[in-house]
Amino acid sequence: MGSGLSVNKSQAATISLEAQTFLRKLRHVPFAHLIGSFLTSPTQIHQFRATFAEKQATVEKELIEKYNISVTAIDIDGVPILILEPPFIKPENESKVLLNIHGGAFCLGNSRDRTGLLMATEMGIHIYSIEYTLSPEVQYPTARDECLKVYRHLVKQFDARNILGMSSSSGGQLMCSMLLCAQKEGLPMLARQYLCTPALDLAGYGDSMVFNDARDVMPVSLLVGMVQQNYQGDSDSKDPLYSPLYSEYTKNFPPTIITVGTRDCMLSTGVRTYWKMRKGGVSVELLVSEGMWHGFNWEETVPEAVEVRAVVREFLSQP
Amino acid sequence: MGSGLSVNKSQAATISLEAQTFLRKLRHVPFAHLIGSFLTSPTQIHQFRATFAEKQATVEKELIEKYNISVTAIDIDGVPILILEPPFIKPENESKVLLNIHGGAFCLGNSRDRTGLLMATEMGIHIYSIEYTLSPEVQYPTARDECLKVYRHLVKQFDARNILGMSSSSGGQLMCSMLLCAQKEGLPMLARQYLCTPALDLAGYGDSMVFNDARDVMPVSLLVGMVQQNYQGDSDSKDPLYSPLYSEYTKNFPPTIITVGTRDCMLSTGVRTYWKMRKGGVSVELLVSEGMWHGFNWEETVPEAVEVRAVVREFLSQP
């Protein structure tokens, strides 16, 4: 195994002790650039998924118990949903719902992951978290269409102005592709959304995809391997609904807050999304955090993550 | 000489052709990490300054002629100032003045540099550009105090609400240190300011000071060498007026827009400044540009630079 990510004196000086510890403890898959494609191939991905799920399950269980979160499975038009409900719903959020699409390179993760659990607790809001079908069991656009089914239902059940969105990494692709489809259908747009280090360019381009490859929590070769071998199918990498960074955005698109870190391989995607949306007239905000990695936001106690989550909640709570 | 900065296919896909050409043509001083300290030592810095000035003089002359900018030397309380005046002043800017503090690691550059010339032309505004004394001729805080003298005069001559600020790199240190001193003196704050890739942490800390060292237009060893050997003197690196990132900011501090790029060694400083000011209640905006380097904003025709300058002008023009 590798020996933790490099954090020298100049880098340590500008991040929290908790973040330093996290990075120094992290172990990359050895020789990921050589064997990444094999590890993430359709024959091997189930093993990869199981290992990932085992690690996450402990965190999920702890959060559910610690915060006494009620987890209810429902079904919307054939798509499984988990409703995450903290013991205390803030009065101003009683009629609201936060739609969550989890990350995991389309191949890993589940709707009970820490992202929704932490957000439900800290924001005091109901979360509808979509259990979309993972790849390689299905390929694009099946999961996006499942999300769209759910969205069509939710805008009938709730006033769209009471729906908020959140998504992480590959979940951002599903969310934005879904919203763009919904927009074409003439459906009303949800009120506001949070894109956590969104994977909106599945062509894998960008400055930070290169310079942060070996510095981020997961080598880019593994991310690219998972997406291209299991999810992409026959899609064109730059199809504007497959890689929503290449879509055109208009003022009608929901106000969006994007978060990334300087060690994040998707820093560039966040930056490019910000400019693309801004040029289209979308009300968009980009938060960059010093020395932080892909998905750092979901570490419960790392101060930089706590800080960013507070700003995101404030953004989502605006009228 | 080196062979241009690396721009691979994934990085080229997300920046303009003009930016690619700029980066590929660039030549670093060879073995800068070995001889940087020598090249920037007080005995050698004058040669370094002369070489830099010669290159810049051509660009400056071209801009002045092309845009027919009038350049007038005045003196405010013993400090030389250049007034840069484009042929057309926008009606809404007639009573306004834009105070410019140029960059150059405190050792290089002059008040006629391209930053003020471009801004005067594109914004249609009078610029007062300070010809502060460079280092090693003087050390901190002499140049800052010269700027403060000018500021004291300007707030008497103009309504502070009609004064805007702009500064680049080390000029940002002078500007922020000056504003913090002015605030302590009870002077009114200027209306809005633009910090272009500001050097507000002269301790040289930060994630991007490490990962962008060999990727940016100037190796970090040269920047650090110039500052530490010629400007710092006996100052503590983390003195809050020497490294204004370590100051506390309050709501009264002028609304600020900061620009950096992902290839910029001062990306982290921009990010940290944004968070520090935001926490203090300052109205602050951070613009990060994909694949861009330290000071890219001042390339007249690079599309990313043109785009950012437009946003900055819009910010400075707000009431």
Side-chain angles (χ1 to χ4, degrees):
Chain A
M1 292 304 224
S3 56
L5 294 186
S6 164
V7 183
N8 78 9
K9 190 188 153 206
S10 178
Q11 292 167 313
T14 60
I15 62 175
S16 66
L17 276 174
E18 292 86 340
Q20 292 172 46
T21 304
F22 179 96
L23 289 169
R24 287 180 173 137
K25 274 191 185 164
L26 200 90
R27 296 292 176 270
H28 273 171
V29 175
F31 308 111
H33 58 296
L34 294 175
I35 59 168
S37 168
F38 169 72
L39 288 178
T40 58
S41 64
T43 54
Q44 297 297 314
I45 191 71
H46 299 280
Q47 180 55 44
F48 202 85
R49 186 192 291 171
T51 311
F52 181 82
E54 200 180 330
K55 277 190 191 162
Q56 297 303 314
T58 316
V59 179
E60 291 158 10
K61 192 162 171 284
E62 275 173 16
L63 286 173
I64 290 170
E65 285 173 5
K66 180 173 168 191
Y67 295 114
N68 197 17
I69 300 164
S70 117
V71 179
T72 312
I74 64 162
D75 174 296
I76 291 184
D77 213 358
V79 182
I81 302 283
L82 282 191
I83 303 180
L84 311 176
E85 191 176 353
F88 178 69
I89 301 287
K90 284 193 184 158
E92 65 269 30
N93 290 336
E94 267 172 15
S95 57
K96 290 186 183 167
V97 58
L98 177 48
L99 179 64
N100 180 38
I101 306 183
H102 72 81
F106 309 103
C107 301
L108 318 175
N110 76 88
S111 60
R112 201 184 57 250
D113 82 348
R114 73 174 82 184
T115 65
L117 296 171
L118 271 174
M119 196 62 126
T121 302
E122 293 181 338
M123 194 158 166
I125 193 165
H126 295 94
I127 296 210
Y128 277 47
S129 195
I130 305 179
E131 190 66 50
Y132 57 85
T133 310
L134 297 179
S135 297
E137 287 84 338
V138 296
Q139 297 183 325
Y140 175 83
T142 304
R144 193 272 320 279
D145 288 342
E146 290 171 352
C147 295
L148 189 54
K149 270 191 192 175
V150 174
Y151 189 73
R152 286 192 196 107
H153 177 92
L154 290 183
V155 293
K156 277 184 220 159
Q157 186 182 351
F158 301 92
D159 188 323
R161 286 169 297 186
N162 285 326
I163 305 174
L164 300 167
M166 66 175 274
S167 54
S168 301
S169 193
S170 54
Q173 186 260 16
L174 294 170
M175 179 68 84
C176 288
S177 185
M178 176 199 85
L179 287 171
L180 290 161
C181 290
Q183 213 174 20
K184 281 187 192 170
E185 284 185 21
L187 294 175
M189 289 288 94
L190 49 77
R192 288 178 168 264
Q193 72 155 339
Y194 168 36
L195 294 176
C196 177
T197 187
L200 299 193
D201 183 1
L202 299 186
Y205 294 146
D207 194 23
S208 67
M209 293 293 275
V210 180
F211 72 73
N212 277 335
D213 178 10
R215 299 185 349 111
D216 199 356
V217 289
M218 189 172 280
V220 167
S221 58
L222 292 182
L223 292 174
V224 170
M226 279 192 274
V227 174
Q228 292 186 348
Q229 297 186 92
N230 301 286
Y231 180 68
Q232 182 165 7
D234 298 328
S235 306
D236 174 0
S237 294
K238 293 176 88 172
D239 176 296
L241 289 173
Y242 177 71
S243 285
L245 186 56
Y246 300 99
S247 275
E248 294 306 315
Y249 293 87
T250 57
K251 264 187 240 180
N252 173 246
F253 200 78
T256 297
I257 191 164
I258 305 166
T259 62
V260 286
T262 63
R263 193 181 276 266
D264 186 344
C265 64
M266 290 185 196
L267 166 66
S268 287
T269 312
V271 165
R272 293 163 64 210
T273 304
Y274 169 83
W275 282 99
K276 188 74 188 266
M277 290 187 172
R278 178 180 175 127
K279 280 181 209 169
V282 179
S283 168
V284 58
E285 196 176 334
L286 174 72
L287 292 176
V288 184
S289 292
E290 164 69 353
M292 295 298 109
W293 54 91
H294 190 61
F296 77 96
N297 311 44
W298 304 115
E299 292 306 314
E300 192 185 0
T301 56
V302 168
E304 288 91 339
V306 172
E307 174 177 65
V308 165
R309 292 203 302 273
V311 176
V312 168
R313 290 198 301 276
E314 202 180 301
F315 175 88
L316 290 176
S317 301
Q318 282 170 43
Chain B
M1 292 303 225
S3 56
L5 294 186
S6 165
V7 183
N8 77 10
K9 189 188 154 208
S10 178
Q11 293 167 312
T14 60
I15 62 174
S16 66
L17 276 174
E18 292 87 338
Q20 293 173 45
T21 305
F22 179 96
L23 289 168
R24 287 181 172 136
K25 274 191 185 164
L26 200 90
R27 295 293 175 269
H28 272 172
V29 175
F31 308 111
H33 57 294
L34 294 175
I35 59 167
S37 166
F38 169 71
L39 289 178
T40 57
S41 64
T43 53
Q44 297 298 313
I45 190 70
H46 298 280
Q47 179 54 44
F48 202 84
R49 186 191 293 170
T51 311
F52 181 82
E54 201 180 330
K55 276 190 193 162
Q56 296 303 314
T58 315
V59 180
E60 291 157 12
K61 193 163 170 284
E62 275 172 16
L63 286 173
I64 290 170
E65 286 173 5
K66 180 174 170 190
Y67 294 114
N68 197 18
I69 301 164
S70 119
V71 179
T72 312
I74 63 162
D75 174 298
I76 292 183
D77 212 359
V79 182
I81 302 283
L82 282 192
I83 303 181
L84 310 175
E85 193 176 352
F88 177 69
I89 301 288
K90 283 194 184 156
E92 64 270 29
N93 290 336
E94 267 172 12
S95 57
K96 289 186 184 168
V97 59
L98 177 48
L99 179 64
N100 180 38
I101 306 183
H102 73 82
F106 309 104
C107 300
L108 318 174
N110 76 88
S111 58
R112 202 184 55 251
D113 82 349
R114 73 175 81 184
T115 64
L117 296 172
L118 272 174
M119 196 61 127
T121 300
E122 294 182 337
M123 193 159 167
I125 194 166
H126 294 94
I127 296 210
Y128 278 48
S129 195
I130 306 179
E131 190 65 49
Y132 58 86
T133 310
L134 297 179
S135 296
E137 287 84 339
V138 296
Q139 297 184 325
Y140 176 83
T142 303
R144 195 273 319 280
D145 288 343
E146 290 172 351
C147 295
L148 189 54
K149 268 191 193 176
V150 173
Y151 189 73
R152 285 192 196 108
H153 176 93
L154 290 183
V155 293
K156 275 185 220 159
Q157 187 183 348
F158 301 91
D159 188 322
R161 286 170 295 186
N162 285 326
I163 304 174
L164 300 166
M166 67 175 272
S167 54
S168 302
S169 192
S170 55
Q173 184 259 17
L174 294 170
M175 179 68 84
C176 289
S177 184
M178 176 199 85
L179 288 171
L180 290 161
C181 289
Q183 214 173 20
K184 281 188 192 169
E185 283 184 21
L187 293 175
M189 289 288 94
L190 49 76
R192 287 176 169 266
Q193 72 155 339
Y194 168 35
L195 295 175
C196 176
T197 187
L200 299 193
D201 183 1
L202 299 186
Y205 292 146
D207 194 22
S208 66
M209 294 293 275
V210 179
F211 72 73
N212 277 335
D213 177 10
R215 299 186 346 111
D216 200 357
V217 289
M218 190 173 278
V220 168
S221 57
L222 292 182
L223 291 174
V224 169
M226 280 193 275
V227 174
Q228 291 185 348
Q229 298 185 90
N230 300 286
Y231 179 69
Q232 182 164 8
D234 298 328
S235 305
D236 175 358
S237 293
K238 292 177 87 172
D239 176 297
L241 289 173
Y242 176 70
S243 286
L245 186 56
Y246 300 99
S247 274
E248 294 307 316
Y249 293 86
T250 58
K251 263 188 241 181
N252 172 246
F253 200 78
T256 296
I257 191 164
I258 303 167
T259 63
V260 286
T262 64
R263 194 182 274 268
D264 187 345
C265 64
M266 289 184 198
L267 166 65
S268 287
T269 311
V271 165
R272 294 163 64 210
T273 303
Y274 169 83
W275 281 99
K276 188 73 188 265
M277 288 187 173
R278 179 179 174 127
K279 281 182 207 167
V282 180
S283 168
V284 61
E285 195 175 336
L286 174 72
L287 292 177
V288 184
S289 293
E290 164 69 353
M292 295 298 109
W293 54 91
H294 190 62
F296 76 97
N297 312 45
W298 304 116
E299 293 304 316
E300 192 185 359
T301 55
V302 168
E304 289 91 339
V306 172
E307 174 177 65
V308 165
R309 292 203 302 273
V311 176
V312 168
R313 290 197 301 277
E314 202 181 300
F315 176 89
L316 290 175
S317 301
Q318 281 171 42

